[in-house]
Amino acid sequence: MRPARLRAGDTVALVAPAGPVPADLLEKAVPVLRGWGVEVRVGSCVRLAAGSPPYLSGSDAARAAEFTEAWLDPGVRCVLAARGGYGVQRMLDLVDWAALREAGPKVLAGSSDVTALHRAVNVHLGLPSLFSPMPASVLFDDCAVEHLRRALFEPERNRVVRGGSPLVPGRASGVLTGGNLSLLAAGIGTPEQGSARDAVVLLEDVTESVYRLDRMLTQLLRSGWFEGVRGIVLGSWAACGDPAEVRSLMLDRLAPLGVPVVEEFGFGHVASSPTLPLGVPVTVDADLGTLTFDSPALT
């Protein structure tokens, strides 16, 4: 199943499944989204200053209910996370996934902590989703806005995404998966985690020191998560220390897998990040620095 693309007049539900949403960034973002010709429905947790504990946008039950209500609303075509932060994993067991399956396919978009929600939507609902910039972020610049708009309204225009350079040369095909490294490592042993078998994997993170990146990659390697991986695409490592040390780590941990690896692809916690569909077939060409999607994620 694939969700339908957006059209003028459709409704986008803005939700806060993780951290509290800065009010000033929200007020700037909503008019941008409405400029696409859509209705924007702002969830109750999005408007909260903070929950309890204060690094959450609301209680686990409230955030799960906000997400569930948005998905079950027949008028909503896209559920867009306003921002990341922390907390998605805490609410996943409170979502009625059977009810969401009955509601039919919709678009989920977001990134960072939303990686856990992407995995859940892919596993429980069998749907592709969009690893995308989020509107309540200082990184939601004009390029990021336009790439997300095209992914939602004109997905065939994003069939080839260019960026990066070869860390390990080669070409491979598989289903695109992954996202934020911290969330992938933290998800080991959970029902939604799955594995990277037959997949091309996205990896990125922010404000993690090199030894912590090492620990997370090592955990994924030792757990067997990377077994059968086809290729790897590395995004931004903003505020993760010396880029040369990060690059050396990626070579040390990932090159022995013997698959193509692209570095500096430009997605993640960085300005002008592209929107990348998860759960769909893709070909990575490390030498050309391209991701080519077999077909659009949205019909």
Side-chain angles (χ1 to χ4, degrees), residues 10 17 28-29 42 46 68 77 83 100 103 121 124 173 175 221:
D10 284 344
K28 292 178 181 178
V42 180
V46 178
T68 300
R77 304 305 309 161
R83 64 153 296 189
L100 268 59
V121 165
H124 295 301
S173 297
V175 173
L221 288 164

Side-chain angles (χ1 to χ4, degrees), residues 207-270:
T207 62
E208 298 285 358
S209 58
V210 177
Y211 86 89
R212 290 173 61 88
L213 298 177
D214 187 337
R215 182 171 64 197
M216 290 182 280
L217 288 171
T218 299
Q219 181 181 3
L220 290 170
L221 288 164
R222 294 191 67 235
S223 72
W225 189 80
F226 277 114
E227 290 180 7
V229 67
R230 300 283 185 84
I232 299 171
V233 182
L234 304 176
S236 64
W237 305 103
C240 288
D242 183 349
E245 292 185 14
V246 174
R247 186 176 194 272
S248 178
L249 169 67
M250 297 301 159
L251 274 169
D252 176 58
R253 296 277 73 193
L254 300 178
L257 292 170
V259 300
V261 181
V262 181
E263 63 176 338
E264 298 181 343
F265 202 77
F267 69 90
H269 292 79
V270 63

Side-chain angles (χ1 to χ4, degrees), residues 12-182:
V12 173
L14 206 57
V15 298
V21 179
D24 59 331
L25 295 177
L26 175 65
E27 296 310 314
K28 292 178 181 178
V30 170
V32 172
L33 301 179
R34 287 179 175 152
W36 297 346
V38 299
E39 299 293 327
V40 179
R41 190 168 301 169
V42 180
S44 57
C45 291
V46 178
R47 296 288 190 189
L48 292 177
S52 180
Y55 48 77
L56 300 175
S57 66
S59 69
D60 296 341
R63 287 178 289 112
E66 179 191 60
F67 173 73
T68 300
E69 289 167 7
W71 198 278
L72 295 182
D73 187 330
V76 169
R77 304 305 309 161
C78 171
V79 180
L80 173 60
R83 64 153 296 189
Y86 168 76
V88 169
Q89 286 186 315
R90 291 179 50 138
M91 56 164 263
L92 291 180
D93 293 336
L94 302 179
V95 175
D96 186 345
W97 295 105
L100 268 59
R101 280 194 298 274
E102 290 296 320
K106 297 191 179 186
V107 185
L108 169 69
S111 55
S112 193
D113 199 63
V114 184
T115 295
L117 198 50
H118 284 297
R119 294 297 309 140
V121 165
N122 181 247
V123 170
H124 295 301
L125 306 183
L127 293 175
S129 54
L130 301 179
F131 193 83
S132 76
M134 295 174 287
S137 166
V138 295
L139 302 174
F140 200 58
D141 60 12
D142 290 346
C143 289
V145 169
E146 175 57 16
H147 208 270
L148 175 57
R149 187 200 66 79
R150 290 205 311 262
L152 291 169
F153 289 85
E154 306 170 274
E156 63 280 346
R157 292 184 60 190
N158 288 356
R159 184 168 177 264
V160 179
V161 183
R162 302 179 185 277
S165 56
L167 185 68
V168 179
R171 189 172 185 270
S173 297
V175 173
L176 196 64
T177 190
N180 182 265
L181 175 58
S182 300

Side-chain angles (χ1 to χ4, degrees), residues 5 18 144:
R5 70 184 63 199

